[in-house]
Amino acid sequence: MRSAFAATRAVLGRYETDFRILAGDEVRWISARGQGEDVGIVGRTMFGIFLDVSGRKHAEEGNEPVAGEMNHRVKNLLTIAAGLTAITLRSAKSTEGMAQDLTARLTALGRAHDLVRPLPNGQGDAALLGDLLSVLLARYEDMGAFRGRIRVAVERMGVGEVAATGLALVIHELATNSMKYGALSVPTGTLDLSSTTDGDELVLTWLERGGPAVTVPDGTEGFGSKLLRRSISGQLGGSIACDWSEEGVIATLRMDRRRLSA
């Protein structure tokens, strides 16, 4: 505090400096305001104002963790966006196609991010699994001949921020494939998502029915399939298996519960 006041003598015009004092056992923040370079000094007495700004300082300190968390989230999303841009560019056949694919993937991430909320008792941030899946698939519901053709019946559990972004990309890729070739490509096709538990894993079943005849892939893995498998194994600690039955694709996603809650 003494050093700060000594420094004000070199300041031209007004100054403001904040410092702390002990009032009994309580720490109080004080803001001192006055004129530098001894402006207005009379009889070696400097006039100034001392304000108790403890309320403002405590509010600022309370906002620091929130600001830090927001900064962390923004950095994570920017990193993911940069990675998606790079790999979408490599697989794009035209600038229009790249723009459409990238926009759709980033929109899916945005929907997942919007759902992540703080849990009580300091348990972290999470979105409910059923809410996350329903929101990600809501846009496809309106593209069919009737409401309710997409049904989500999964257990009530939280999906953490990191896992939510990975799961959003996985669901987006599956839905995109279904829109192009599967049950969601026809007005009367249906999609059912259900979950079961197998030890430490959550097993999510993606079941399509009522679409065109299924064609088994020729073995050449496209960009979407690579992104899907990387997201499942890298971010969710699991695996995906597909059954290309004539009635419709059945995709089985196995995910580590601890990764899902992270």
Side-chain angles (χ1 to χ4, degrees):
M1 186 186 74
R2 292 179 185 275
S3 298
F5 271 107
T8 63
R9 301 192 65 178
V11 175
L12 298 176
R14 297 180 180 179
Y15 72 85
E16 179 177 343
T17 183
D18 297 345
F19 57 91
R20 288 169 293 179
I21 63 171
L22 271 176
D25 294 331
E26 185 179 8
V27 176
R28 307 295 296 178
W29 276 95
I30 305 298
S31 178
R33 304 178 183 182
Q35 294 281 357
E37 205 187 24
D38 293 346
V39 174
I41 194 168
V42 177
R44 301 194 61 77
T45 301
M46 179 182 291
F47 294 89
I49 299 174
F50 290 80
L51 301 174
D52 187 332
V53 293
S54 300
R56 172 169 62 84
K57 285 291 186 179
H58 292 159
E60 291 174 355
E61 291 170 353
N63 288 334
E64 285 180 2
V66 177
E69 176 63 20
M70 287 300 297
N71 184 51
H72 171 69
R73 286 192 181 189
V74 170
K75 285 184 176 179
N76 281 346
L77 288 174
L78 289 176
T79 300
I80 294 171
L84 282 177
T85 302
I87 54 183
T88 303
L89 177 62
R90 289 198 296 267
S91 64
K93 296 181 179 178
S94 67
T95 54
E96 291 80 6
M98 175 187 171
Q100 291 175 357
D101 290 345
L102 185 58
T103 299
R105 286 172 179 133
L106 292 177
T107 300
L109 288 181
R111 292 194 186 100
H113 182 73
D114 286 342
L115 285 176
V116 177
R117 295 288 184 270
L119 293 176
N121 304 320
Q123 299 179 62
D125 297 340
L128 290 177
L129 176 62
D131 291 347
L132 180 60
L133 296 175
S134 297
V135 168
L136 290 171
L137 294 169
R139 61 187 293 260
Y140 304 100
E141 181 74 83
D142 297 330
M143 296 178 181
F146 59 93
R147 297 285 297 177
R149 70 178 188 139
I150 297 178
R151 297 179 288 265
V152 177
V154 295
E155 70 172 83
R156 184 180 178 87
M157 67 169 294
V159 179
E161 178 192 356
V162 176
T165 57
L167 186 57
L169 288 176
V170 169
I171 297 301
H172 169 73
E173 294 303 323
L174 288 172
T176 298
N177 288 337
S178 183
M179 275 294 297
K180 291 180 179 179
Y181 316 109
L184 297 183
S185 67
V186 297
T188 55
T190 62
L191 169 63
D192 286 274
L193 274 80
S194 60
S195 70
T196 56
T197 297
D198 185 6
D200 294 331
E201 291 184 323
L202 177 80
V203 182
L204 184 67
T205 302
W206 172 288
L207 174 63
E208 298 184 25
R209 287 293 182 264
V214 174
T215 302
V216 180
D218 59 6
T220 303
E221 192 173 43
F223 164 73
S225 299
K226 291 179 180 177
L227 177 62
L228 196 155
R229 293 188 184 279
R230 288 176 184 175
S231 298
I232 284 285
S233 61
Q235 291 182 278
L236 303 174
S239 61
I240 181 170
C242 291
D243 177 3
W244 308 99
S245 65
E246 292 184 2
E247 295 81 7
V249 174
I250 304 174
T252 304
L253 288 69
R254 308 182 71 91
M255 296 168 284
D256 188 310
R257 286 182 171 274
R258 290 170 297 182
R259 292 283 192 92
L260 275 175
S261 61

